[in-house]
Amino acid sequence: MLVSTFTLGDLYLGIDIVLVREINRSMECTPVPGSHDYIRGMLNIRGRVITLFDLKKRLGWSDNELGDGAGIKQYNVIMKTHSEVLKINPRLAETKCPWEDPVGLAVDQLGDVREIVDDNILPPPANMGGISADFVHGVVEFERNLLIILDVATVLGFDERSSG
Amino acid sequence: MEDEARRIAEEIVSEYRRQLESVRFEKDQVKNLVQDAIGKLTDSFNGLRSSSDEQLGLVTGLTSSMQDDDGGEDGSDKKINIRGFVSETDKILKTFVNHIILVSRQSMEMVHRIDDLSSQMAEIVELLNDINAIAEQTNVLSLNARIVAARAGQAGEAFSVVASEVRKLARNSHEFSDRINGVVRNSKKNIESAKGIVEIMASKDMSFAIEAKGRVDEMMAEVSEIDRFTAETIHKVTGVADQISNQVGVAVMSMQFEDMVTQLSESMEKKIHVLENFSQAMDPDILFGDGLTAVDRMQRLEQVLEGQRAGFNAVDRGAVQQSSMDEGDIELF
């Protein structure tokens, strides 16, 4: 499968490219009062209102790990919705893309698009820093880097029960 | 007895003549000695005068070479005197200092130019940042293109290749601008150090040059003073040489007493001649001649005396009456 990669601090993360709708440079967003702290706010991209997740906060990073934050240029990875994925890959839509609302994830640096052989995907190792195993679909050793493939549904708050 | 008296008288006459001859000889000797000495003295004084003139000429030449700055200004006269040397050195030094001040001013100008260059470098860095931003946008664009291609599945594969090529381009241009950035940063560092050097040059050299000019000015003033003193002394020496020349002139003029000596000598010669005649008074014929009475003898002697007197008077009248060389206050020897 093709994986769109990016970095979050020292983490090298990847998302199945079929789930990605587009990538933007970060822009001003409108905060949502009373929401979770990992909800950065609402974005309006070409008329669509998108809920933007702060991925670092969602992964439970402390303020120390978050760093200064200000001045660091970030990117928004906008996800496809369930119905959009359904048109391309119905099986994937059913198993991995339960959400119907347009959402996006704020990440640090953009990487490349990587071709991953499915057999090479390993289960998440124990004692992995910076990210809970719940959010990890699997890991791939890649040029001495460990590429962590995100389980986006879990990240967005859909657990196995609702998706299954 | 008479013969004996006659013999004695003759002896007296011959002795008298012999002595006169001796006087004449000595007189001639005096005359020759004086003539000889005067000749030598005149030569010597003339030599002294010409030496003095020569000395005066030399000193005058020296004075004129030291003071001659009125005529030598037009450059046709290549001779350099001390005053000219001092003013020429002063002129050269002034030019030199002005040059250094000019260089210093230009260095300051250069510092400003370098500042301009520095800010332009900063602009280049900014432009490179813009290029980086474009590269980054291109990168985002290519990623999005890959995403769209992935959606199209098999059909999008060709488009995916184009998208990854675009991404490569973006990465290349990013690298390229990074390299330019590195070069610009180095240039900026070099420019800063050049600016430092030029600043030191601009501030330091001028003070040194002005100090040096002050020192040389002082020395030139001293040289000028020495020169003035020397010129004054030479002027005095010229005056003394003039006096010597005048006095030698007077001395040479005074040598004319030779003429007087010659005249006196001639007069002496005449007197000796007359005295020779005076020996006739002792003529034995008159004193002891036969056939002469005492009265006759007396008369003859009277005649001889008269003739002699007349001769002396004639000589006295022709002789030079001057007894000294006084013409002014000059004393001979």
Side-chain angles (χ1 to χ4, degrees):
Chain A
M1 70 171 181
L2 282 174
V3 174
S4 180
T5 66
F6 48 87
T7 62
L8 196 72
D10 291 331
L11 290 181
Y12 187 38
L13 300 174
I15 297 176
D16 187 338
I17 200 167
V18 180
L19 298 177
V20 180
R21 181 185 164 88
E22 62 179 298
I23 294 169
N24 293 313
R25 296 173 74 182
S26 73
M27 54 188 85
E28 288 288 312
C29 64
T30 313
V32 180
S35 62
H36 285 289
D37 68 335
Y38 54 80
I39 302 296
R40 192 175 275 184
M42 308 296 283
L43 282 175
N44 187 334
I45 297 175
R46 293 186 293 274
R48 293 177 75 215
V49 176
I50 291 151
T51 308
L52 184 65
F53 281 65
D54 189 323
L55 192 51
K56 281 180 185 171
K57 281 183 181 165
R58 181 68 184 110
L59 298 183
W61 287 20
S62 66
D63 286 350
N64 203 22
E65 287 167 308
L66 285 170
D68 191 10
I72 295 174
K73 203 164 50 186
Q74 281 199 311
Y75 293 87
N76 301 329
V77 180
I78 311 299
M79 310 307 296
K80 288 195 179 89
T81 59
H82 177 74
S83 51
E84 281 171 329
V85 176
L86 202 61
K87 289 177 202 164
I88 304 162
N89 190 337
R91 204 182 67 82
L92 192 69
E94 291 305 325
T95 56
K96 297 286 180 190
C97 189
W99 61 94
E100 270 302 342
D101 298 323
V103 293
L105 303 173
V107 301
D108 283 348
Q109 295 290 314
L110 293 182
D112 209 342
V113 175
R114 298 289 188 190
E115 175 81 52
I116 307 283
V117 179
D118 284 358
D119 292 347
N120 290 347
I121 300 174
L122 307 169
N127 312 321
M128 198 161 49
I131 186 166
S132 159
D134 293 342
F135 300 129
V136 180
H137 169 69
V139 298
V140 181
E141 239 188 291
F142 206 85
E143 292 171 3
R144 288 180 169 264
N145 269 325
L146 195 66
L147 176 61
I148 300 163
I149 299 170
L150 276 183
D151 184 337
V152 183
T154 323
V155 170
L156 295 179
F158 295 88
D159 52 24
E160 294 301 315
R161 283 164 294 160
S162 61
S163 67
Chain B
M1 181 68 197
E2 199 170 298
D3 287 344
E4 186 66 12
R6 184 180 281 263
R7 191 187 58 80
I8 287 170
E10 275 171 356
E11 245 172 61
I12 286 169
V13 167
S14 78
E15 186 65 21
Y16 176 76
R17 283 192 172 151
R18 213 163 50 80
Q19 287 303 324
L20 273 180
E21 202 53 48
S22 163
V23 167
R24 177 179 282 148
F25 176 73
E26 282 172 8
K27 176 216 69 163
D28 283 345
Q29 225 173 359
V30 166
K31 187 183 159 193
N32 287 339
L33 278 173
V34 167
Q35 256 174 356
D36 194 40
I38 280 173
K40 279 179 184 165
L41 269 174
T42 307
D43 283 352
S44 167
F45 272 120
N46 280 334
L48 185 61
R49 192 214 291 262
S50 73
S51 290
S52 170
D53 282 351
E54 200 180 328
Q55 186 193 27
L56 185 65
L58 285 175
V59 170
T60 309
L62 190 59
T63 318
S64 70
S65 85
M66 293 187 80
Q67 292 178 327
D68 176 31
D69 55 356
D70 308 322
E73 285 291 309
D74 53 359
S76 62
D77 192 354
K78 285 283 179 189
K79 267 195 280 178
I80 284 187
N81 53 52
I82 288 180
R83 205 167 294 180
F85 168 75
V86 168
S87 78
E88 192 67 20
T89 307
D90 196 53
K91 226 184 281 170
I92 289 166
L93 208 69
K94 237 173 235 166
T95 315
F96 178 67
V97 167
N98 284 342
H99 228 76
I100 284 182
I101 288 171
L102 188 71
V103 166
S104 163
R105 203 170 293 155
Q106 282 169 343
S107 301
M108 285 313 292
E109 190 73 17
M110 206 136 88
V111 168
H112 293 315
R113 289 283 163 278
I114 288 173
D115 278 343
D116 290 352
L117 201 62
S118 208
S119 68
Q120 280 163 1
M121 283 287 180
E123 275 173 42
I124 289 176
V125 169
E126 233 164 78
L127 288 173
L128 285 173
N129 285 342
D130 288 351
I131 289 175
N132 270 346
I134 289 168
E136 191 198 309
Q137 279 177 349
T138 313
N139 186 29
V140 173
L141 190 67
S142 77
L143 273 177
N144 282 317
R146 294 291 295 273
I147 290 163
V148 172
R151 187 191 301 170
Q154 287 283 322
E157 221 147 81
F159 185 56
S160 172
V161 172
V162 174
S164 54
E165 286 303 313
V166 171
R167 185 180 151 71
K168 259 185 226 164
L169 277 181
R171 190 172 287 170
N172 284 349
S173 74
H174 196 284
E175 264 172 32
F176 188 57
S177 83
D178 274 353
R179 269 159 63 190
I180 293 176
N181 209 336
V183 172
V184 167
R185 203 165 294 148
N186 276 343
S187 305
K188 209 173 170 187
K189 225 182 283 171
N190 288 338
I191 286 168
E192 284 302 318
S193 76
K195 185 187 163 188
I197 292 165
V198 172
E199 262 173 355
I200 290 168
M201 216 166 89
S203 62
K204 215 176 190 177
D205 280 358
M206 191 153 68
S207 57
F208 164 76
I210 288 170
E211 231 170 74
K213 166 137 173 60
R215 271 291 299 141
V216 173
D217 275 349
E218 272 171 38
M219 287 193 300
M220 283 303 164
E222 281 165 26
V223 168
S224 238
E225 177 57 27
I226 291 165
D227 178 46
R228 197 193 57 73
F229 179 72
T230 311
E232 205 178 278
T233 310
I234 284 176
H235 187 71
K236 278 180 194 161
V237 170
T238 310
V240 172
D242 271 338
Q243 278 177 17
I244 291 171
S245 180
N246 281 342
Q247 283 174 4
V248 168
V250 170
V252 168
M253 201 183 69
S254 306
M255 288 301 157
Q256 287 166 355
F257 80 92
E258 187 208 351
D259 284 349
M260 296 166 205
V261 170
T262 308
Q263 280 179 40
L264 284 171
S265 171
E266 277 167 14
S267 158
M268 277 164 85
E269 174 62 38
K270 280 176 191 160
K271 279 184 180 168
I272 289 167
H273 186 70
V274 173
L275 279 172
E276 271 173 352
N277 291 339
F278 195 51
S279 64
Q280 290 170 359
M282 294 297 285
D283 190 354
D285 287 337
I286 297 171
L287 293 175
F288 308 109
D290 293 332
L292 283 175
T293 62
V295 174
D296 282 343
R297 287 187 211 277
M298 288 301 280
Q299 276 174 344
R300 289 284 292 275
L301 278 174
E302 199 79 28
Q303 277 171 4
V304 167
L305 190 62
E306 275 307 312
Q308 204 64 34
R309 224 173 242 152
F312 277 135
N313 284 340
V315 169
D316 277 346
R317 268 199 302 276
V320 176
Q321 293 299 317
Q322 203 163 356
S323 60
S324 88
M325 286 297 298
D326 280 355
E327 226 182 29
D329 293 322
I330 300 148
E331 292 225 325
L332 273 176
F333 316 120

